[in-house]
Amino acid sequence: MAAPESDLEGNKGGRRTQRGDGGRARDGLTAAAAAATAPGPRRDTSSPPLSPAPGPPGRHFTTTGARIWTWLVRYFVPKGAGPGAIQVVGTQDTENMETGIPAPEQTSCPRGDPQVCYPEDAEDPEAVRVADCESPADNRPQNEPAYCNWEDSGHLMTSYEGKARGYQVPPFGWRICLAHEFAEKRKPFQAKNISLSNMIKHLGMGWRYLQWWYRKTRVEKKAAFIDLFNCVPLRQIYGCPLGGIGGGTITRGRRGQFCRWQLNPGMYQHRTVIADQFTVCLRREGQTVYQQVLSPERPSVLRSWNWGLCGNFAFYHALYPRSWTVYQLPGQSVILTCRQITPFLPHDYQDSSLPVGVFVWDVENEGDEALEVSIMFSMRNGLGGGDDASGGLWNEPFCLERDGETVQGLLLHHPTLPNPYTMAVAARLTADTTVSHVTAFDPDGTGQQVWQDLLQDGQLDSPAGQSTPSQKGVGIAGAVCVMGKLPPRGQCRLEFSLVWDMPKVMFGAKGQVYYRRYTRFFGQDGDAAPALSHYALCRYTDWEERISAWQSPVLEDRSLPAWYKSALFNELYFLADGGTVWLEVPEDSLPEELVGNMRQLYPILREYGRFGYLEGQEYRMYNTYDVHFYASFALVMLWPKLELSLQYDMALATLREDLTRRRHLMNGAIAPVKRRNVIPHDIGDPDDEPWLRVNAYVIHDTADWKDLNLKFVLQVYRDYYLTGDQGFLRDMWPVCLAVMDSAMQFDKDHDGLIENGGYADQTYDGWVATGPSAYCGGLWLAAVAVMVQMAALCGAQDDQDKFSSILSRGQEAYERLLWNGRYYNYDSSSQPQSRSVMSDQCAGQWFLKASGLGEGDTEVFPTPHVIRALQTIFELNVQAFAGGAMGAVNGMQPHGVPDRSSVQSDEVWVGVVYGLAATMIQEGLTWEGFQTAEGCYRTVWERLGLAFQTPEAYCQHQVFRSLAYMRPLSIWAMQLALQQQCKKSSRPIAEQSTGLITGPKFGPKETITNLDPE
């Protein structure tokens, strides 16, 4: 049997799939950058099966064009630049290893292994044997009771040959066999995916980006906030991340590997560390009968260990913030279930900030003989890269007894500047368990001493004292082992924790010092790892009870489909693993002249801290506001105080200015970094100094964007409506007036409707809009309608009359200029794409409905028009695209062919699709909404293998763009729409299913002018 393809080689699978390109993948990627538009690589120009005819000749990038771009790149880009490498500490080796276990006892997969086998000389993809990649059809009507059984995971479990179901593994979630290999291997955007016409359009931008990128990375020695030459390659391996909100995260892959690290704030390292493993040892009658690393890999380091676990007898199940890995040990009558727990607790502002994870091992004995079972948790100090090379790392054992509970483990001290930390691997000592350790071993050696130590008696030697500090270039690792008694037909439990204490952090510019949120509860001195370990191991049962209480109303709702339950909770990973920071606010960081005008600003920021998350792990900008517009539903519904904190930060940034002039890459224009009274695009780059220097985005001058100011106004009212916080609304009212006054300039003809400027001046920053448009025009009318409501609440009669007049004129212009009887035209220009069907055309109505407006006396868009537009989108953008199985394409021509006029119009944006589905549910098109959203979930999680790295976009074929992106958190807007729908129909609903705080108890037009903010 061929050994399973290793995750550890990072690009290995990618290299195989790229051979058909004649080995030019690297040049293609860098050439793509030269022609890239706004935020990143993209473009697939394939027509869907339903298209009546192919596009005109000359659409695709020609060989001559490719040579030109390759020449430009080779001239400006050094040889060292290329696609982002996945770094691996150790490589695959399929030879037998000396393990000390008799050959018959060593694990091997049986014949008929259904894993994918990639022959080294396979050039033809047809020569590669793969599993069926089609998702199972679900023809069950949406209103029938949902269910979940073994088959619900579809082809993801076809490789599973075991019978074990695991210990208390829930029925809902994302489940996949460890032996499963995804048949479809997509790539990040490449030059060949850009049409020649779009290449020509963005020639200047590509040239300017090359110059900017070279200066940033080679002269300033900094990381580019969007690095088109170092896109993260496809790795279909990720699982639930460890760690709460804002303290850093460590992602453990679905096959057990520790493979994605975000310890320094906002900066990711995609590196699988071989030594970070769990190992099981079974003993009968005083003899070790089975010892196995619980990993299917076969690395070249630690070769004395028994690697190569058969993945066909194990599966992974994720329901964030928990996951389960079930191992059926062949021939041993033993089943292991590892439950991973992270304190991700809605409405909790203490434990949710902790940088901890817990692993609970439930071991079941199905045999008639008693056993001793040991689990060893080994961990390298550091990641084995440049941060470790200088040496000086050291480990030491610890034991903490408190309140009758004892925790033992190892401290791994990593003093490297500027952000030193201590990691702790620990276990809970009980009357039925024994805890032992090895303080130090070489993670790059054979590992024989550690292996034989465990093999001898199921325990480790537990030497006293700290280790010698590591030498330059030499690695150091340690391990903790727990042993328990396993009676015949019985069970035992072994408990571990992993924590990391990095209390004080600096961002890339190394200017401002911040303390993480959790230091409020565990101190700022960097010695909290033992206390954090003890706390986690003693409190995780309470965390699980609270997680179950939060999730159960959704999971037990039989009207909801199984895929939705998985998507709703698993997409939340990004709130913690979006480069997220949750910081204490420095005393001197709030300007008095601005704080005085917002009475709740200081109390909110001081009490709840400062929150930031990236636009994406590849698009490194904090709190990108045009994208947060979509993602914010998850934050306001689960941690509303963090949403208010973010809004106050955004209001502060709005009232400030930075007149430093810089060149913007799209058009080459020179403009200030930030103008006063306009919403910033983002709050800054973690490799610079976020909050102090905003607008890391240099593609466009976003002061002229048409959507940012409007999205602030809409979110302010939505947040007020959902939280009932009157003081917040009053604080934000002057800021809303200021940004709406700035937006008024875009109504050139004074008809009450703003016009787009003939370039990509909104979140679709590669899709040109001219004149009044469905998207920005709809957002404008919705924002004006919200201003009418806020003026009434704040007792501002003159402002209420002013915005009521604008709204009346704007509604008439919007319907006259854009409504065509079936949908709202993309824009009102004379270009052919002006009649495209935009999937996001009802975004304004979406937010109005989410805020309790948009119907009856507060109707802005005629309800029949909204419903007809949504039906048209469903017919064309959803059902006529990719057979209706991939969600909604951004733009579709009226005759059923995707709009390829831009580099974004024929993409599917997952977060936009979830928002569209929420809009459909709001308007009573519930079945259509679920069908639309399901296509995205099935594509991302079941077909493309992009679990826990949901991208911003994908095309019908070949490519994806920007892995691990913020916008898909908008799926929580679907949950809000369902809750509001239930309230309208007077059916029972569990408020805790969303964690939503009820809105204000007073009517929408009741004044709050004289209400005390407290």
Side-chain angles (χ1 to χ4, degrees):
M1 185 211 93
E5 181 187 0
S6 175
D7 296 327
L8 303 175
E9 293 190 270
N11 280 331
K12 188 168 184 179
R15 287 198 300 269
R16 286 168 176 158
T17 58
Q18 291 170 2
R19 287 179 180 172
D21 298 332
R24 293 187 298 272
R26 173 176 167 183
D27 286 341
L29 182 59
T30 51
T37 68
R42 38 203 158 225
R43 224 42 349 208
D44 165 72
T45 55
S46 303
S47 298
L50 297 181
S51 299
R59 274 189 55 84
H60 296 284
F61 189 37
T62 63
T63 302
T64 301
R67 289 173 179 167
I68 294 173
W69 290 112
T70 301
W71 178 84
L72 288 172
V73 170
R74 287 177 178 171
Y75 188 80
F76 282 98
V77 181
K79 290 183 178 181
I86 298 297
Q87 300 185 47
V88 181
V89 185
T91 55
Q92 183 176 0
D93 186 350
T94 57
E95 296 180 5
N96 292 329
M97 294 161 281
E98 298 178 4
T99 63
I101 302 293
E105 299 283 358
Q106 294 191 30
T107 304
S108 61
C109 291
R111 292 184 180 180
D113 179 6
Q115 292 175 297
V116 178
C117 176
Y118 293 89
E120 287 297 327
D121 57 351
E123 297 287 345
D124 183 359
E126 296 299 325
V128 179
R129 175 169 55 87
V130 297
D132 182 12
C133 66
E134 294 298 321
S135 299
D138 182 6
N139 298 318
R140 176 173 54 83
Q142 211 65 47
N143 58 357
E144 284 190 10
Y147 64 94
C148 184
N149 58 32
W150 200 252
E151 285 70 37
D152 280 337
S153 297
H155 69 282
L156 302 184
M157 287 294 289
T158 55
S159 299
Y160 186 63
E161 298 181 16
K163 296 181 180 179
R165 302 300 175 96
Y167 181 78
Q168 296 183 350
V169 179
F172 300 104
W174 182 68
R175 181 173 296 175
I176 183 169
C177 177
L178 265 61
H180 181 78
E181 292 288 347
F182 289 92
E184 189 167 352
K185 307 289 184 182
R186 291 205 170 195
K187 305 172 186 177
F189 166 80
Q190 297 182 53
K192 66 179 182 181
N193 304 116
I194 305 178
S195 68
L196 180 58
S197 60
N198 280 321
M199 186 74 70
I200 293 172
K201 288 179 186 177
H202 300 297
L203 178 64
M205 186 271 178
W207 178 266
R208 285 184 288 271
Y209 179 84
L210 277 171
Q211 294 175 308
W212 173 86
W213 179 89
Y214 187 89
R215 183 175 65 254
K216 173 67 69 173
T217 62
R218 293 301 185 263
V219 178
E220 299 176 15
K221 305 297 183 182
K222 304 290 286 184
F225 75 98
I226 297 177
D227 194 334
L228 307 184
F229 303 128
N230 294 281
C231 297
V232 176
L234 176 66
R235 290 183 92 196
Q236 298 162 318
I237 65 171
Y238 296 115
C240 282
L242 292 154
I245 297 174
T249 48
I250 300 172
T251 296
R252 185 165 177 253
R254 61 184 176 87
R255 297 167 72 168
Q257 64 276 66
F258 291 81
C259 52
R260 186 171 66 194
W261 308 75
Q262 190 253 145
L263 299 180
N264 288 313
M267 308 301 288
Y268 277 86
Q269 291 180 284
H270 297 82
R271 176 177 294 163
T272 296
V273 182
I274 303 303
D276 298 355
Q277 300 289 345
F278 286 101
T279 298
V280 62
C281 175
L282 300 180
R283 293 171 58 80
R284 289 188 179 94
E285 299 178 351
Q287 296 293 324
T288 298
V289 296
Y290 182 89
Q291 190 161 299
Q292 173 71 48
V293 182
L294 294 171
S295 168
E297 313 304 340
R298 297 178 182 271
S300 59
V301 296
L302 302 175
R303 293 185 56 184
S304 291
W305 296 16
N306 188 27
W307 298 88
L309 175 80
C310 182
N312 299 83
F313 290 87
F315 69 87
Y316 179 82
H317 184 97
L319 187 67
Y320 187 76
R322 294 188 292 176
S323 67
W324 294 255
T325 309
V326 177
Y327 305 88
Q328 180 177 326
L329 304 183
Q332 303 303 318
S333 299
V334 170
I335 298 170
L336 309 176
T337 302
C338 176
R339 187 166 75 258
Q340 176 181 307
I341 306 145
T342 285
F344 186 88
L345 310 166
H347 297 285
D348 178 288
Y349 296 89
Q350 176 175 325
D351 288 5
S352 292
S353 71
L354 301 183
V356 306
V358 175
F359 301 95
V360 179
W361 289 84
D362 288 296
V363 187
E364 299 171 272
N365 185 358
E366 295 186 331
D368 297 322
E369 297 180 84
L371 292 168
E372 289 179 332
V373 58
S374 300
I375 299 289
M376 180 179 74
F377 186 9
S378 55
M379 178 69 61
R380 183 178 187 127
N381 189 336
L383 311 187
D387 289 345
D388 307 345
S390 59
L393 315 182
W394 53 285
N395 303 341
E396 64 173 328
F398 77 92
C399 178
L400 179 60
E401 183 176 356
R402 181 181 293 171
D403 300 326
E405 297 286 351
T406 302
V407 168
Q408 295 179 218
L410 281 181
L411 300 177
L412 283 60
H413 299 287
H414 196 282
T416 305
L417 298 175
N419 298 322
Y421 65 92
T422 295
M423 191 167 285
V425 179
R428 188 178 190 177
L429 178 65
T430 70
D432 300 319
T433 61
T434 301
V435 179
S436 57
H437 70 270
V438 58
T439 308
F441 68 91
D442 182 1
D444 300 313
T446 65
Q448 183 173 7
Q449 183 175 352
V450 178
W451 189 261
Q452 293 297 327
D453 186 6
L454 181 64
L455 189 69
Q456 182 176 355
D457 58 4
Q459 300 183 63
L460 301 174
D461 281 347
S462 300
Q466 67 187 46
S467 69
T468 302
S470 64
Q471 298 298 309
K472 184 176 181 179
V474 178
I476 181 174
V480 173
C481 178
V482 185
M483 172 186 280
K485 305 291 186 180
L486 190 58
R489 304 289 174 180
Q491 175 194 340
C492 71
R493 173 170 290 182
L494 312 175
E495 301 155 300
F496 292 89
S497 66
L498 176 65
V499 313
W500 49 100
D501 182 23
M502 183 189 283
K504 182 175 68 174
V505 295
M506 301 175 74
F507 291 102
K510 302 177 184 177
Q512 178 73 51
V513 174
Y514 292 92
Y515 289 94
R516 297 194 191 262
R517 168 73 174 183
Y518 76 88
T519 61
R520 175 175 295 206
F521 316 108
F522 285 87
Q524 301 178 346
D525 298 330
D527 58 359
L532 283 165
S533 302
H534 191 281
Y535 189 83
L537 286 167
C538 293
R539 294 296 298 270
Y540 79 84
T541 54
D542 173 67
W543 296 342
E544 289 199 276
E545 289 174 2
R546 294 163 65 185
I547 291 168
S548 294
W550 160 49
Q551 294 182 336
S552 291
V554 172
L555 301 179
E556 294 171 2
D557 188 340
R558 295 178 62 82
S559 69
L560 299 175
W563 70 263
Y564 172 76
K565 298 172 183 181
S566 172
L568 184 70
F569 294 113
N570 283 326
E571 289 290 6
L572 284 173
Y573 83 94
F574 194 84
L575 274 184
D577 198 22
T580 312
V581 290
W582 189 356
L583 306 170
E584 296 289 274
V585 178
E587 294 282 352
D588 58 351
S589 66
L590 301 177
E592 291 295 332
E593 68 276 12
L594 299 180
V595 171
N597 297 326
M598 291 181 273
R599 296 178 62 183
Q600 287 191 185
L601 182 149
Y602 191 80
I604 287 285
L605 289 179
R606 288 293 296 162
E607 178 62 25
Y608 297 103
R610 173 166 276 163
F611 174 84
Y613 62 156
L614 299 177
E615 179 178 336
Q617 291 180 10
E618 293 191 80
Y619 287 10
R620 213 179 51 251
M621 297 160 282
Y622 274 125
N623 296 348
T624 300
Y625 203 72
D626 57 301
V627 182
H628 176 69
F629 176 74
Y630 297 82
S632 59
F633 284 88
L635 196 60
V636 73
M637 292 168 72
L638 301 176
W639 283 273
K641 297 299 185 182
L642 291 185
E643 168 67 10
L644 298 187
S645 171
L646 185 154
Q647 292 283 62
Y648 275 109
D649 265 336
M650 198 58 62
L652 274 179
T654 298
L655 300 177
R656 291 169 167 169
E657 64 181 4
D658 180 353
L659 299 181
T660 305
R661 299 180 68 79
R662 66 181 180 186
R663 185 178 302 277
H664 292 90
L665 303 183
M666 181 58 73
N667 58 11
I670 297 176
V673 171
K674 169 69 174 65
R675 301 179 199 172
R676 194 185 307 276
N677 294 340
V678 294
I679 301 295
H681 173 273
D682 59 84
I683 218 72
D685 179 352
D687 201 33
D688 185 29
E689 201 63 72
W691 284 281
L692 296 181
R693 285 191 285 275
V694 303
N695 279 345
Y697 180 81
V698 297
I699 307 296
H700 292 278
D701 177 10
T702 58
D704 287 330
W705 273 19
K706 308 307 182 288
D707 60 340
L708 284 170
N709 291 355
L710 315 178
K711 288 174 174 178
F712 177 78
V713 172
L714 289 170
Q715 287 183 78
V716 164
Y717 188 81
R718 192 257 343 250
D719 294 346
Y720 154 74
Y721 175 76
L722 294 181
T723 65
D725 193 323
Q726 304 158 8
F728 167 74
L729 181 64
R730 185 164 51 193
D731 282 351
M732 293 297 112
W733 172 242
V735 186
C736 290
L737 282 173
V739 298
M740 286 298 285
D741 185 63
S742 295
M744 292 279 189
Q745 64 178 303
F746 303 130
D747 181 9
K748 303 294 185 183
D749 55 6
H750 307 290
D751 64 350
L753 189 64
I754 63 171
E755 293 90 42
N756 289 89
Y759 71 100
D761 50 359
Q762 22 72 35
T763 194
Y764 296 89
D765 54 356
W767 194 358
V768 172
T770 304
S773 66
Y775 183 69
C776 290
L779 292 174
W780 165 257
L781 292 180
V784 172
V786 159
M787 291 296 288
V788 172
Q789 298 298 316
M790 286 196 285
L793 288 164
C794 294
Q797 186 62 51
D798 291 345
D799 290 318
Q800 183 178 359
D801 294 341
K802 169 186 171 182
F803 285 106
S804 294
S805 174
I806 294 173
L807 179 61
S808 178
R809 290 182 285 116
Q811 284 176 293
E812 187 279 329
Y814 189 78
E815 296 295 323
R816 171 171 47 84
L817 295 173
L818 295 169
W819 179 251
N820 64 23
R822 295 179 60 205
Y823 58 92
Y824 293 99
N825 288 337
Y826 175 71
D827 64 20
S828 54
S829 70
S830 59
Q831 299 298 318
Q833 64 268 22
S834 68
R835 289 185 59 83
S836 288
V837 186
M838 187 187 196
S839 65
D840 210 5
Q841 63 185 268
C842 296
Q845 175 70 2
W846 169 36
F847 253 74
L848 287 177
K849 276 294 189 72
S851 305
L853 305 173
E855 58 185 343
D857 293 341
T858 60
E859 181 181 87
V860 175
F861 309 96
T863 299
H865 289 188
V866 172
I867 294 176
R868 185 68 185 98
L870 292 173
Q871 290 172 335
T872 301
I873 293 168
F874 184 70
E875 294 164 7
L876 292 177
N877 300 60
V878 179
Q879 291 186 312
F881 175 75
M886 294 184 72
V889 67
N890 282 342
M892 181 68 84
Q893 298 180 52
H895 55 283
V897 175
D899 178 355
R900 297 193 179 91
S901 63
S902 80
V903 293
Q904 293 175 332
S905 52
D906 69 339
E907 289 183 323
V908 176
W909 287 13
V910 180
V912 167
V913 173
Y914 288 150
L916 169 63
T919 312
M920 292 175 170
I921 293 170
Q922 290 170 342
E923 302 300 333
L925 302 175
T926 304
W927 182 84
E928 290 84 350
F930 275 103
Q931 287 291 109
T932 298
E934 182 178 1
C936 281
Y937 175 80
R938 301 288 188 192
T939 299
V940 170
W941 290 77
E942 296 183 356
R943 175 180 161 190
L944 301 185
L946 299 179
F948 299 101
Q949 52 180 333
T950 304
E952 157 73 317
Y954 56 79
C955 294
Q956 185 174 353
H957 303 294
Q958 301 179 1
V959 297
F960 59 82
R961 180 169 61 80
S962 186
L963 293 174
Y965 199 76
M966 177 199 294
R967 204 184 315 251
L969 285 169
S970 62
I971 193 171
W972 277 82
M974 293 180 64
Q975 186 64 21
L976 177 62
L978 289 168
Q979 176 171 329
Q980 292 174 330
Q981 187 184 61
C982 290
K983 287 182 177 178
K984 285 184 180 180
S985 61
S986 300
R987 289 191 286 123
I989 181 168
E991 288 277 292
Q992 64 196 33
S993 66
T994 62
L996 181 64
I997 296 178
T998 55
K1001 298 295 190 292
F1002 39 85
K1005 294 187 179 180
E1006 182 176 339
T1007 183
I1008 62 170
T1009 305
N1010 298 318
L1011 293 178
D1012 188 274
E1014 300 302 321

